[in-house]
Amino acid sequence: MTEPESEFQIPDFDPRRTRRAVRRGVVRTALVSLSALLALVLVATLGSAWVQKRGDRERRMLDVLGTAMQVANPGYRVSVGECCEVSPLSLSFEVGISPIRVVGGFSAGPAFADRRERVTQDFFGRVHTPPLGYGTETPLTYALYNVRTGNQPKAGMRQVLKRLPEDMNALAVVEFTEPMTSAQLVAFARQYGGCPENVVYEDRPRSTPITWEQTMRPRSMDLPKGGMCSDSPPETLEGFRGWVGMLREHDEPNLRRFGLDLARLRKSAAEGRAYAYVDPVSRVSELRKLIEDPRVATVRVADITFDLERPR
């Protein structure tokens, strides 16, 4: 009597079919793992971007860090680009950096500057290596270093101006014997036709003093009204105080990275006294008259050039 055939029979072993099955399993596992990894990366990237850009964080980054970059480097014209480039662990924006020269004043944006750098803060809002660092190798910065030091006194600078052609343009730092209020600075500028848009608000000899340029205003503030350059000091101080007023204690570590100090900034803004100002373009003939004023401690010439378009 024959045994009944089993309902389930184990097929003969087929090495080729086994290898194909193993490969399909490996591929499926890899695809599932890769899909999960990509989804995780996507969620992490989008989530990180959302966290870093939440609220007004981007605008405040430009206002605080972009302006701190300018205040810390008064010898350079710093053009702040748009915000922001986002990575999973950082936010950054581009700045254009050019030494301020006598014919300066026009800023074409970071793309056309002498050099382009990025200001970057990490996921926790900290800046580690800001552009330029403590680099200050410009004639204007050295002239600002000397404010309130007694170096380059009036007698010596009078001789320098005497040797220069009177129709030459000059970039000059005008230092006062006693600090002035905004109203006093306006009266002084009107008398001599000066342009005090860039004002030194700190008595800090042999170091970079806090210097504020009229257009460096928080984006929440209105733009300068324009008008006569000699009338700009009140708006310049208003912009400085507006920026300092938005700073918070948690900004202190980043400010220190730029070589600034929150206590110094607040003290200078509260006092609002002008120790000197930068005149971006004055005739040597005008500076010769200005230096004779008893309110002027000295005039430091940082850069000079001829105006080739001026008829002679």
Side-chain angles (χ1 to χ4, degrees):
M1 185 175 186
T2 61
E3 295 183 0
E5 294 185 359
S6 174
E7 185 177 353
F8 301 101
Q9 294 185 359
I10 299 177
D12 295 335
F13 177 73
D14 187 338
R16 296 178 60 187
R17 292 181 61 184
T18 302
R19 285 195 295 270
R20 286 198 297 268
V22 170
R23 283 196 295 267
R24 285 195 300 270
V26 171
V27 170
R28 278 198 300 268
T29 302
L31 289 175
V32 171
S33 300
L34 182 59
S35 299
L37 182 60
L38 289 174
L40 183 62
V41 170
L42 183 62
V43 169
T45 301
L46 294 177
S48 173
W50 178 83
V51 169
Q52 294 190 80
K53 297 170 69 174
R54 68 191 183 278
D56 65 345
R57 201 163 185 252
E58 289 179 284
R59 188 179 71 181
R60 196 170 191 282
M61 179 184 180
L62 287 180
D63 279 345
V64 175
L65 302 185
T67 306
M69 175 77 184
Q70 297 172 77
V71 175
N73 299 282
Y76 294 86
R77 188 163 304 283
V78 179
S79 306
V80 179
E82 295 298 319
C83 194
C84 292
E85 182 177 309
V86 185
S87 77
L89 297 177
S90 67
L91 279 178
S92 65
F93 60 89
E94 188 176 73
V95 292
I97 305 170
S98 299
I100 294 179
R101 304 298 302 271
V102 62
V103 291
F106 174 70
S107 177
F112 298 95
D114 289 77
R115 56 189 284 192
R116 285 176 287 171
E117 302 281 355
R118 301 202 72 82
V119 177
T120 303
Q121 70 176 25
D122 63 23
F123 185 84
F124 301 101
R126 292 289 177 258
V127 176
H128 295 287
T129 308
L132 287 178
Y134 295 99
T136 55
E137 294 82 8
T138 75
L140 176 55
T141 309
Y142 287 126
L144 292 170
Y145 270 168
N146 283 314
V147 171
R148 308 291 287 182
T149 64
N151 295 337
Q152 298 172 303
K154 181 180 286 192
M157 295 310 299
R158 194 182 281 126
Q159 294 302 313
V160 170
L161 292 171
K162 185 178 180 180
R163 291 195 298 267
L164 296 174
E166 66 176 12
D167 57 352
M168 179 175 281
N169 290 336
L171 170 67
V173 176
V174 180
E175 180 184 341
F176 301 119
T177 52
E178 296 294 334
M180 291 188 178
T181 64
S182 289
Q184 291 171 327
L185 187 50
V186 167
F188 181 89
R190 285 177 179 172
Q191 179 177 347
Y192 292 103
C195 187
E197 290 184 335
N198 200 330
V199 181
V200 177
Y201 286 112
E202 186 180 32
D203 181 0
R204 194 168 183 244
R206 298 178 181 83
S207 300
T208 305
I210 293 170
T211 307
W212 187 267
E213 202 272 330
Q214 185 192 18
T215 60
M216 300 189 315
R217 305 167 72 83
R219 300 194 177 199
S220 58
M221 296 182 67
D222 294 332
L223 292 174
K225 298 175 184 176
M228 297 297 293
C229 191
S230 57
D231 295 331
S232 63
E235 278 200 283
T236 302
L237 180 57
E238 177 192 12
F240 178 39
R241 285 175 169 168
W243 181 67
V244 173
M246 68 173 289
L247 299 176
R248 299 293 178 262
E249 301 300 328
H250 64 259
D251 295 315
E252 177 76 15
N254 283 343
L255 293 173
R256 289 188 178 279
R257 289 288 183 180
F258 287 97
L260 300 174
D261 181 275
L262 186 55
R264 282 174 46 215
L265 289 166
R266 287 173 173 170
K267 180 176 183 292
S268 299
E271 293 176 349
R273 298 191 297 173
Y275 293 87
Y277 72 90
V278 179
D279 197 325
V281 53
S282 288
R283 295 286 174 191
V284 169
S285 58
E286 297 166 351
L287 295 177
R288 288 176 182 174
K289 298 175 185 177
L290 186 150
I291 199 172
E292 299 304 330
D293 193 302
R295 293 169 292 179
V296 175
T298 190
V299 175
R300 296 182 177 86
V301 177
D303 192 23
I304 53 175
T305 186
F306 279 110
D307 183 354
L308 299 179
E309 297 182 359
R310 180 181 174 87
R312 290 177 171 80

